Amino acid sequence: AQSVSQHNHHVILSEAASLELGCNYSYGGTVNLFWYVQYPGQHLQLLLKYFSGDPLVKGIKGFEAEFIKSKFSFNLRKPSVQWSDTAEYFCAVNAGNNDMRFGAGTRLTVKP
Amino acid sequence: SQTIHQWPATLVQPVGSPLSLECTVEGTSNPNLYWYRQAAGRGLQLLFYSVGIGQISSEVPQNLSASRPQDRQFILSSKKLLLSDSGFYLCAWSGIGVTEAFFGQGTRLTVV
């Protein structure tokens, strides 16, 4: 089965700093890739997704992610974070076999 | 539109007691259904997934079981709870052609 690794457990940034959260997966075939966000006290919601086509995908709230097939990576980026981006971020992989795997999550704290 | 209901929201159970958490989906047919457990720093651990009535795939050996008695109903059970079963349990669904997962609000289970 596929697995997902998120290397940063807790990231602390100041407002306006740039963000990049790493995500790597282990699966050799075609994958669908996702980033989910969980704001404090709220349920998980989809931030962005990649199925095919342009490997640079844009999501809500100014987030984007780049799929690099050769590196098995799907890193999340945002040029300038805001205090309201404080949340936990999960990378997920679906290899098309109805088996949605999530990473351990990265907690982002943005200081005002 | 599709909605997912998960209950109860919180539950406190004594060690050795049985467990039944219920999840239902509305507005879609033949969904893929998932049970996850979320633990701090460990992300979302896939416990069970189901692609149809009576079809359950178990990801990790544990004290829990799952059943799908109806197309849009997914139940997480245990005959005898352990302290280590405490955690936050999430139900999710995804549909054919829609591979992202949609999550319920979760159940906070505390075994005492």
Side-chain angles (χ1 to χ4, degrees), chain B residues 10-108:
Chain B
T10 59
L11 189 60
V12 180
Q13 292 283 101
V15 169
S17 64
L19 171 74
S20 181
L21 302 182
E22 190 161 343
C23 173
T24 60
V25 180
E26 295 177 358
T28 187
S29 297
N30 197 30
N32 300 320
L33 296 170
Y34 309 85
W35 277 110
Y36 291 90
R37 178 164 52 203
Q38 184 177 14
R42 296 177 62 183
L44 286 158
Q45 181 186 30
L46 179 63
L47 302 176
F48 302 96
Y49 70 92
S50 171
V51 299
I53 295 174
Q55 300 179 61
I56 310 294
S57 296
S58 174
E59 287 303 303
V60 293
Q62 57 206 319
N63 186 42
L64 302 168
S65 62
S67 62
R68 186 169 177 174
Q70 299 179 43
D71 181 43
R72 288 170 289 178
Q73 185 185 29
F74 204 26
I75 298 172
L76 184 68
S77 304
S78 174
K79 292 182 180 178
K80 287 186 178 181
L81 283 168
L82 305 172
L83 285 174
S84 57
D85 292 324
S86 293
F88 190 60
Y89 292 85
L90 284 162
C91 180
W93 75 273
S94 66
I96 297 173
V98 178
T99 60
E100 65 200 73
F102 299 91
F103 286 84
Q105 295 280 44
T107 297
R108 173 75 58 194

Side-chain angles (χ1 to χ4, degrees), chain A residues 1 9 32 34 36 38 42-44 46 49 51 88 90 94 97-105, chain B residues 32 34 36 38 41-44 46 49 51 59 88 90 94 97-105:
Chain A
H9 297 295
N32 300 315
F34 309 84
Y36 282 82
Q38 187 174 33
Q42 297 188 28
H43 64 278
L44 279 154
L46 186 69
K49 59 188 178 185
F51 290 168
E88 189 150 19
F90 295 92
N94 184 330
N97 57 354
N98 307 308
D99 183 354
M100 180 81 86
R101 301 279 173 160
F102 286 78
Chain B
N32 300 320
Y34 309 85
Y36 291 90
Q38 184 177 14
R42 296 177 62 183
L44 286 158
L46 179 63
Y49 70 92
V51 299
E59 287 303 303
F88 190 60
L90 284 162
S94 66
V98 178
T99 60
E100 65 200 73
F102 299 91
F103 286 84
Q105 295 280 44

Side-chain angles (χ1 to χ4, degrees), chain A residues 34-56:
Chain A
F34 309 84
W35 275 97
Y36 282 82
V37 60
Q38 187 174 33
Y39 297 103
Q42 297 188 28
H43 64 278
L44 279 154
Q45 53 187 287
L46 186 69
L47 200 55
L48 51 77
K49 59 188 178 185
Y50 171 80
F51 290 168
S52 64
D54 189 344
L56 184 63

